[in-house]
Amino acid sequence: PVRLINTSCLGELTKTCVSCNSVEQKIYINLNDTVPCVRLLNATHQIGCQSSLGGDVGVIHFLESEQNLEYVLTTGNNPPYMVILESHLFNRDVMMKLKNGSSRIAGVAVIKPNSNPVGAFSPHTTCPNENTGVYSESYDPALAHCNGTMWNPNGNGLSYEEFSFPIFSLKDDNGTEVIRQCYMDHNRAVNGSVPVYPLCAMELSSHMSAVTDTVTCMRRSDTSGLSLNPEQVCDPLGNYNVWGATKGLNNSASGHSENETVVIAAARLDSRAFFHGISLGADSGTSGFITLLAAAGALANVTREAPPPRTILYAFFQGESFDYIGSSRMVYDMQGDKFPIDLDNIHSLVEIGQVGLHASEGLWVHTDPVSRRNASIETEVKNLTDIFRSVATSLNISLGEPDVSQPLPPASFQRFLRAQPIPGVVLTDHRTSFTNSFFESMYDNAEYLNLTFPAGLTPEEQFNYVTDTAKGLAKVATLAARTLYRQAGGAEERLAGINADELTVAHMLYGFLIQTKNPWFEAIVSPEDLPALIGFVISNHSPPQMNSYTWVRGVTPPNATEPAGYCVRSTTRLARAESPAFLLGEFNSSTYSTWSESRWKKINARIFLVAGHDLEMLTLGVGLAVLLVSLLITFFVNAKADFLFSSGREPANATY
């Protein structure tokens, strides 16, 4: 389409337009704070979104209601359309209708609101990770595929659909107002009239390199082939697990560790959403790992002064949203003697799941009914749940246990149980179905955890303000810490001195959910270095050969320009969180996660005025006419060159 140069920059909607000094800047307004839906692949199919190679262009249409869909799908005169959705219309019904009418849809832009919507929204499935957990036809068919317990009843599965057009999230700010004003000025039909050109259009670019499935994209990315210029088109999903222990484990050794018994305290680090760039996972992931970090901090002194007989190993798993990538990798390494301990060293496991909404539903300890059929496992599980109840009573915390026949919720613990029976529990804020109405969505954020501050506080004052949410999670962390100490064999008389610090919890909530650029984070590490932060929190004083060392930035002293850094010794380690399927080359595995992410070269969103068909034809005609005239002139000049340019030539026989 012909892009019109609008010297008023779309009706003087942006003050920066007066300084435009290029044709492109006069035509386009680039949109900032956009997050695309990207393409993911597994062993059998692809999901997500993409644009065509050069980007997709459509006339902007704000969808005002679901009934207004008829306009963009059938009756509108200017397809294809770039549909702008307010958040309440971003649901499965609307999106599937747009998908089925994709010949008239160029793309979709969803306006992310500044406050959460009323109701529930979860683009995940109703049974998360159902094919890679422990419950299967071979373990207990009656419990497979969430039979009897639908963990995420609000799940609509939107994150697992494939869309042939680009879908972006837009922040509801001045840029969105520019789009709205452009639409009102040029595109909105008034009193039944048909909008006339020029019309306001949008271009979304998010072409994905990978197609079909992980098997295909990994084959095309294979650099060992005959291609002279192999191109990587996708990457396995993964990152790093972070683990540490209350005493040093020899990282240079691997396999079974004699005379070593370990209690694993686990939590997940990751979360996901339809738009991956805005997946805070406040309840689904962040509440759990903050609670476990606070518990580790509470145990730091007592495990040095009065070490329990058993070692507490803290494990933070990455990629759990995608078929338990991190936990399955740790189990695989333990089974293959590639970890300082093996599965036989594990005494029991305590996992902290979603606990951010415990104030409304209380806390619940979930166990596995199948492994409890074993008498020795039943005894250990019973002892562990008794410790939880006893500590909860002393802290005045409401704690319950679901029916013993109920299976575990989606949890990393399931991957350990797939390998061998292990006593353990999962602590959550729900008895059956998730309390979290926004599970794995962009609305699972600080607001959803009621992380609010009194009016008028500066950012620094907010950072140091201990909210009710922080107090509640600190109490849960104290419960977890005291339980872990007793489960590791620590003395009961020591429990009263184990308390999670509320201010530390407040700092972590603020840093992870509101603003990573804050004094506490910056004094420890760069904002993106989560492993180093974990190492700082659970640092201890084990023998040097058992430790890792992390350089901490520190604070900037008065009258200085650089922070005064120092070294922290801890037992924290990084372990690769990449699915064993990629190590084994089994890209169609049904045992391990096979999720990969497509690569892309350009992510961009911009708006402009597009000319009508008549003007396009006129422009084309004028261009062809100019081309023909230019060719004729060139031909004439070339044919008459001797005549036109001979007067200035000297005779061939001229002498001097």
Side-chain angles (χ1 to χ4, degrees), residues 341-369:
I341 62 169
D342 65 9
L343 293 171
D344 292 331
N345 289 120
I346 300 175
H347 172 269
S348 52
L349 188 149
V350 175
E351 180 171 351
I352 311 298
Q354 301 181 83
V355 292
L357 303 175
H358 65 93
S360 59
E361 299 292 331
L363 291 171
W364 299 86
V365 283
H366 300 261
T367 60
D368 171 46

Side-chain angles (χ1 to χ4, degrees), residues 23 50 72 128 245 258 284 322 382 400 405 427 441 448 478 497-498 517:
V23 173
Q50 78 153 355
V72 295
E258 293 295 335
S284 63
F322 296 96
K382 186 72 167 55
S405 63
L427 182 68
S441 82
Y448 189 50
T478 299
I498 301 174
K517 188 175 177 60

